[in-house]
Amino acid sequence: MSVTDRLTKLREAMEPAGVDAVWVSQPENRRYMSGFSGSAGSLFITPENALLATDSRYTEQAGKQSPEYQVVHMAGPGSEWFKEMLASMGDAKRVGFEESHVTVATHKRLADLCGEAGKELVPINDIIETIRAIKDDAERDALISAIRITDEAFVEVRDALEPGASEQDVAWRIEMAMRNRGAESIAFDLIVASGPNGAMAHHSPSAEPIAVGAPIVIDIGARVDGYHADMTRTICIGDHDDQFRRIYDIVLTAQETAIATIEEGMTGDQADALARNIIEKAGHGPEFGHSLGHGVGLAVHEYPRLGQRAPDVLTQGMIFTVEPGIYITGWGGVRIEDIVEFKDGRCSVLSSAPKINVKNGS
């Protein structure tokens, strides 16, 4: 979709949401709705007008990236610029704001200004995030590029791994490999967790050396044109113990079953149950403590959500992760994560990094 198409969709959603205008401050939503990638600014969208307010650092950039918007220079003390935006909204009375992004202090200050202008701030519930859940061709292309870089970087570093390398060293090698392939940055703080550290789903890499036979959870992603990849593999250097093979097989079966059986119209909690039931039947339900997956795009975690209490309906054009895991305190963990595209009523896997042990291919 073009920015014009996105504006049309948002405007169509205003009346059902009970608002006459929308103030967009959340960074990913701001970029999605305007194309503007600067770090500061707000959008003000009415049925007739689209304004982008930013400061002097970004006004030229905003003019180039967002030709569909009138760029307004944010100048003056305090919230004077917000008063100007309210005045530009004309007869609009109810102004939607992103309740999950605006702080209490900011809301109080700007709600008072709205009151003075005869307007009201009204929370909108994830309207733009819902639109973002369906990816267009350009978004898909950016994601495919980020996924390819992530897959290739993993294989490069995996094949060179030797015992004694630290978790931090492995993470740094992966980051360099991704940047050398054209990533603009890493998608998130990379996770390399070996041995017992793997029981912590979001362990930060340490200086601890990786031992032979220890399970290593590697959760990585590249960012390209603002879009994020997210992939996890669990491997061993050299021979592994029976526990690793048993846990790995449970997690792999759970993931493959979910990918094969998620259908159009399922909710996120129904999809989550497809994998969770397998892990629970194997006796490890309490050790799968996170959700099955999440959408990826301009944010590394976005709609749709696949979890135990996720009502999001899965439909054509969504791109999301499928990532079951088991985490055992004192031993370690296994997580396997791929990005899939929901296409023709089924999941099509976009990640291609192999799921094999480093040395012996098992």
Side-chain angles (χ1 to χ4, degrees):
M1 292 186 289
S2 66
V3 167
T4 300
D5 293 331
R6 293 171 184 177
L7 282 168
T8 298
K9 281 188 171 292
L10 178 58
R11 285 167 172 151
E12 289 171 349
M14 285 183 189
E15 184 175 351
V19 297
D20 308 310
V22 173
W23 162 41
V24 181
S25 57
Q26 201 271 353
E28 289 82 18
N29 287 344
R30 183 178 63 222
R31 180 167 182 171
Y32 181 81
M33 291 305 307
S34 68
F36 174 60
S37 62
S39 64
S42 290
L43 311 180
F44 294 86
I45 300 163
T46 69
E48 295 81 24
N49 299 314
L51 283 69
L52 194 169
T54 189
D55 62 44
S56 59
R57 296 172 297 169
Y58 295 117
T59 49
E60 182 177 354
Q61 176 184 338
K64 292 178 179 179
Q65 292 183 327
S66 307
E68 297 84 355
Y69 283 73
Q70 177 187 342
V71 178
V72 178
H73 180 204
M74 292 168 55
S79 302
E80 289 300 314
W81 64 271
F82 193 78
K83 291 182 182 180
E84 294 176 17
M85 294 303 99
L86 292 177
S88 74
M89 293 181 186
D91 295 333
K93 298 297 183 185
R94 293 169 61 82
V95 181
F97 75 97
E98 298 156 307
E99 57 185 319
S100 61
H101 180 255
V102 176
T103 65
V104 173
T106 297
H107 176 266
K108 183 180 185 307
R109 183 173 71 254
L110 301 186
D112 289 344
L113 293 176
C114 281
E116 293 171 9
K119 303 182 189 298
E120 176 188 3
L121 276 183
V122 179
I124 53 175
N125 186 24
D126 301 327
I127 291 176
I128 299 174
E129 287 84 351
T130 302
I131 298 171
R132 280 172 48 198
I134 307 298
K135 301 299 187 286
D136 62 30
D137 289 343
E139 292 180 289
R140 183 182 184 276
D141 289 346
L143 283 165
I144 291 291
S145 295
I147 292 166
R148 175 187 55 78
I149 289 170
T150 301
D151 290 338
E152 291 177 357
F154 169 77
V155 172
E156 176 188 323
V157 174
R158 181 207 63 178
D159 288 349
L161 269 181
E162 295 292 342
S166 72
E167 296 171 345
Q168 291 172 339
D169 180 50
V170 174
W172 176 238
R173 289 189 219 170
I174 292 170
E175 179 172 352
M176 286 193 294
M178 291 194 294
R179 288 184 177 274
N180 287 338
R181 285 170 168 79
E184 64 187 36
S185 70
I186 54 176
F188 49 87
D189 291 338
L190 307 184
I191 297 169
V192 178
S194 64
N197 292 336
M200 296 178 281
H202 279 191
H203 170 73
S204 296
S206 69
E208 186 173 332
I210 294 171
V212 174
I216 314 165
V217 180
I218 300 176
D219 188 345
I220 60 175
R223 188 174 75 186
V224 173
D225 294 334
Y227 284 79
H228 300 74
D230 192 2
M231 184 271 290
T232 306
R233 293 292 182 264
T234 305
I235 61 175
C236 286
I237 300 176
D239 294 331
H240 50 70
D241 60 20
D242 292 339
Q243 172 97 322
F244 177 82
R245 172 50 61 195
R246 185 178 69 82
I247 299 298
Y248 191 94
D249 286 348
I250 295 167
V251 173
L252 181 61
T253 299
Q255 194 214 29
E256 290 179 338
T257 299
I259 290 172
T261 56
I262 291 174
E263 297 179 347
E264 178 99 24
M266 276 188 175
T267 57
D269 56 344
Q270 291 172 329
D272 180 275
L274 296 172
R276 194 170 301 276
N277 289 342
I278 290 171
I279 292 174
E280 288 177 347
K281 288 178 180 177
H284 291 282
E287 292 150 347
F288 178 22
H290 56 75
S291 299
L292 178 63
H294 54 85
V296 290
L298 285 170
V300 72
H301 291 87
E302 58 181 52
Y303 277 33
R305 299 162 298 188
L306 287 72
Q308 288 180 286
R309 289 172 293 278
D312 305 2
V313 177
L314 305 179
T315 190
Q316 181 90 0
M318 290 180 170
I319 295 180
F320 51 86
T321 68
V322 180
E323 49 177 305
I326 293 174
Y327 310 91
I328 301 173
T329 300
W331 177 78
V334 172
R335 179 165 68 254
I336 306 171
E337 175 184 23
D338 289 304
I339 292 179
V340 304
E341 176 183 21
F342 208 61
K343 184 178 180 181
D344 299 325
R346 293 289 181 180
C347 293
S348 174
V349 179
L350 299 178
S351 309
S352 64
K355 305 172 187 178
I356 60 173
N357 192 346
V358 174
K359 298 299 183 184
N360 59 25
S362 60

